[in-house]
Amino acid sequence: MSDILTKQDNSHTIAELIRSQLNKFSPAEIKIVNHLLANYPMSGMVSITELSENCGVSTPTVMRTLKKIGYSSFTTFQKELKEELQQTLSDPITKHDKWAADAPESHVLNRVADTVTTNLRHSLNQVSYEQFDAIIDLLAEQDKALHIVGGRITSAFARYMNTHLEVIRENVYIFPEAVALWPHHLLKIKPNDVLIVFDVRRYEQDLITISRLANARGAKIILFTDQWLSPIASEAIHTLPIRIEGKSGWDSGVVTLFFAEAIVVALEEKLWTQTSERMRELEDMFDLTERFKKRIE
Amino acid sequence: MSDILTKQDNSHTIAELIRSQLNKFSPAEIKIVNHLLANYPMSGMVSITELSENCGVSTPTVMRTLKKIGYSSFTTFQKELKEELQQTLSDPITKHDKWAADAPESHVLNRVADTVTTNLRHSLNQVSYEQFDAIIDLLAEQDKALHIVGGRITSAFARYMNTHLEVIRENVYIFPEAVALWPHHLLKIKPNDVLIVFDVRRYEQDLITISRLANARGAKIILFTDQWLSPIASEAIHTLPIRIEGKSGWDSGVVTLFFAEAIVVALEEKLWTQTSERMRELEDMFDLTERFKKRIE
DNA sequence: TTTTTTATGTAATGTACATTACAAACTTAT
DNA sequence: ATAAGTTTGTAATGTACATTACATAAAAAA
């Protein structure tokens, strides 16, 4: 992976700033800068009172030292320290700065890209590995049927997921397109079956109803929703709160698909022995029907 | 309520403590926990005043939320957050592991995230603004009908795009699901109509055929394909070569959806006057059918 | 509807804090 | 040794903050 992204502020850390002036300090001041550097950067993330106590000096001495270093006040010093920490902690996905750098933010492509990566970053923070793994474990139980349903917009994701999961495991069913047929499909749901529901705003009454009924029949519900949580969340045993917010009003579905795909990939890996067999059979059938071109690779 | 009880429950991080209670919160409280988790952990390293402003709620609401989570005061909450941060920073091996964003590549979620962002970056490099804008211009001509078709897997994207474009402009048609009906639908295509085709490997014979026939009827084809290019590329006037490669064999659809969405957003902006009108009408119809819950925000 | 409960914000209060003013102690130069 | 400069601490002050008490608004129940 190309690492065109370079840390531009390496020479501008507060630690560097202090080290470059190490000779100008008086005894009490040396106590302070030593402590700051030794426990960098958390040593500075306390009140000036506490900091002075930790260094064994008085608060005014801390103030004078910081002014000597180049800050007008303790407050501004701490603010900069926080920013530096923030930047250090910001995650790898922010690497999109790379393309944002040589491309004007203004173009739609870049704005959408920016939104999507932000949504992705935030969504990843909302979902714990434990929860995700628990979902995969649940989906791996093939004696229980898996049903999938989505709403006006999200039915596309339901379909995408269904197409893939169908290959990976047995007993996968998608709800029919016509809402009128949903109650009928509901009859197929048995206790402990799993139901994957996609419901992002605006939350749909039909989905809520179907979820309640499925729940009453003993189904376990996995919910894909947005950060504001569909009402179905109270029926679900696993809820994925996905950030879908677009800056200028529109809601993005990309990250929702991302999680659907992540589940597909994870399940495929978990059930690989079986999946590979099913895939081979599928390939054979494709060959027979001659619907597809031969693999290029 | 004692503070000693706070972190007993196996949750190693405050983030997990919050996530384990995600269903207990009221609207304003959800705002807070979302913000805390989204910008974790630095979101908590500010004054309670600033935090409340960042969340758009009042300071007492922040206090109450933190008490609900299990802290006796904002101060103790922040103290624990600092300790957690301290510990994470001082342990170079598990460094950042606890935060999804910076987590080890090993977990599926992170591997998929990495793949997707790489694909996105590469794809953006392949598509010029000029070409993208040309596509938008073409789609903005509403006197010409717009037809959409996808394959076994990509039909989900065709559907997603259709659902959105239908709202934005007139004269949008998606091909029926059953391939047997495609020739029939072909009759609706008039000279200079636009046809959006999704075709990624393995390239499908039916799509190739339909594209040739549509081309013969004078349709202009916009093609969503992968980096190896579907044979349809020779029939298309605009080709979007999208990187779909997954590291361990699987093909990702996320970036394909990204481009579909980017087109939707761009077209919506271009046709906004008209789109907003159509959306308003759609809202009215939703209200009448009572299929959807009222908007929250 | 009316009442009760829940949710949220406004305003007041006391505390911890950053900052400043000033004085004491220490150092250096003559 | 003593005056000038330097370093450091004590105490005072004003501000920002966390916290609490109360009021109002919204939702749920009767």
Side-chain angles (χ1 to χ4, degrees), chain B residues 26-28 56-58 60-61 64:
Chain B
S26 67
V57 300
S58 65
T61 303
R64 280 185 292 259

Side-chain angles (χ1 to χ4, degrees), chain B residues 124-182:
Chain B
L124 283 173
N125 283 336
Q126 301 278 353
V127 178
S128 71
Y129 298 151
E130 290 72 23
Q131 188 186 11
F132 186 87
D133 294 340
I135 291 175
I136 301 303
D137 289 343
L138 188 56
L139 293 178
E141 296 171 17
Q142 295 174 64
D143 49 325
K144 305 301 174 193
L146 169 60
H147 304 268
I148 310 178
V149 67
R152 187 174 73 93
I153 291 177
T154 49
S155 68
F157 305 142
R159 186 163 298 273
Y160 184 83
M161 210 172 180
N162 176 68
T163 308
H164 279 102
L165 289 181
E166 230 168 30
V167 180
I168 294 175
R169 54 158 279 178
E170 294 172 2
N171 246 336
V172 181
Y173 307 99
I174 189 168
F175 270 59
E177 271 193 74
V179 179
L181 300 177
W182 285 7

Side-chain angles (χ1 to χ4, degrees), chain A residues 149-152 175-183 186 195 197-199 202-214 230-232, chain B residues 286 289-293:
Chain A
V149 67
R152 186 174 72 92
F175 270 60
E177 271 194 74
V179 179
L181 300 177
W182 286 8
L186 205 56
L195 174 62
V197 182
F198 289 85
D199 191 31
R202 310 171 35 174
Y203 312 118
E204 300 180 27
Q205 194 55 56
D206 292 317
L207 284 172
I208 299 170
T209 308
I210 229 64
S211 300
R212 295 226 170 99
L213 293 174
S230 149
I232 299 174
Chain B
F286 283 157
T289 57
E290 289 181 348
R291 267 274 181 72
F292 297 86
K293 289 205 75 174

